[in-house]
Amino acid sequence: MKITSFLQKYALICSILFMLVSCDIEHSSNGKFDGYWKITRIDTLQTGGINDLSGELRFWSVQGKLLQLNDRQNYRQPCYLRFEKKGEQLRLYSPYADVSQGEDLPMTDAEPLRHWGINLSANNDESGSKAEESLEEKFTFESLTSSNMVLASQTLRLYFKRY
């Protein structure tokens, strides 16, 4: 009886350890940036123009190293970008368009992304040739809390509310 109880406990402990070791736990270092963000306003820095989007349903969805762009009100083709967050800096690159069920194609034209306040431009390396990930944009986090976010690029300031 004692041997059976011991073997059951041993098997349980081994099973738990096996599950913990076999699971690949993914960890995000994005902090408060992870989540579902609704764009509420886009300001043009040069002209002082303000585009109030509070009545629209334009979203940035952030998880891991992937940014998904959605418009839940006006049909727009969803887009995906890779991103790199270092301190107060955010670099968006490698845009893909979701063209059909499960098929994502690399984007070479940034025009569709302007709808979400992203104006990607060609990134050239020191030699002047286009880099492999040629479209990118850099933002600075002006504010990031658990409920609001403000990002600024060279041309725009984007305001978000966590949804």
Side-chain angles (χ1 to χ4, degrees), residues 10-27:
Y10 181 75
L12 178 64
I13 290 171
C14 287
S15 297
I16 291 172
L17 287 175
F18 179 73
M19 286 189 293
L20 290 175
V21 171
S22 66
C23 292
D24 183 19
I25 299 173
E26 190 172 316
H27 175 71

Side-chain angles (χ1 to χ4, degrees), residues 4-159:
T4 307
S5 176
F6 172 76
L7 288 175
Q8 287 175 339
K9 288 179 185 177
Y10 181 75
L12 178 64
I13 290 171
C14 287
S15 297
I16 291 172
L17 287 175
F18 179 73
M19 286 189 293
L20 290 175
V21 171
S22 66
C23 292
D24 183 19
I25 299 173
E26 190 172 316
H27 175 71
S28 171
S29 60
N30 298 328
K32 294 176 184 173
F33 184 49
D34 271 338
Y36 203 56
W37 295 95
K38 180 181 186 285
I39 304 173
T40 58
R41 190 171 108 190
I42 299 177
D43 294 353
T44 306
L45 299 178
Q46 262 188 340
T47 64
I50 296 173
N51 188 3
D52 181 9
L53 300 172
S54 59
E56 297 197 23
L57 298 174
R58 298 183 195 182
F59 295 96
W60 283 27
S61 180
V62 179
Q63 183 177 10
K65 296 293 177 197
L66 188 65
L67 168 63
Q68 180 186 28
L69 307 174
N70 284 303
D71 185 332
R72 298 288 184 205
Q73 188 171 12
N74 307 306
Y75 177 75
R76 293 279 180 152
Q77 182 178 39
C79 300
Y80 301 91
L81 296 102
R82 295 274 177 210
F83 71 87
E84 184 178 77
K85 181 182 178 293
K86 289 186 179 177
E88 300 300 312
Q89 302 301 309
L90 176 66
R91 180 176 79 100
L92 304 180
Y93 62 96
S94 262
Y96 280 80
D98 184 3
V99 293
S100 67
Q101 296 174 338
E103 187 178 355
D104 301 331
L105 295 177
M107 296 176 72
T108 56
D109 179 17
E111 185 60 36
L113 301 173
R114 296 187 199 294
H115 182 71
W116 291 278
I118 300 172
N119 299 308
L120 298 175
S121 60
N123 175 31
N124 296 329
D125 62 20
E126 290 82 28
S127 67
S129 65
K130 286 189 175 181
E132 187 174 311
E133 295 164 349
S134 61
L135 293 177
E136 77 169 37
E137 183 163 19
K138 294 180 181 175
F139 288 91
T140 300
F141 286 92
E142 291 189 345
S143 173
L144 178 60
T145 67
S146 58
S147 58
N148 295 292
M149 175 172 65
V150 179
L151 296 175
S153 68
Q154 290 182 338
T155 58
L156 300 174
R157 181 170 289 116
L158 285 62
Y159 294 82

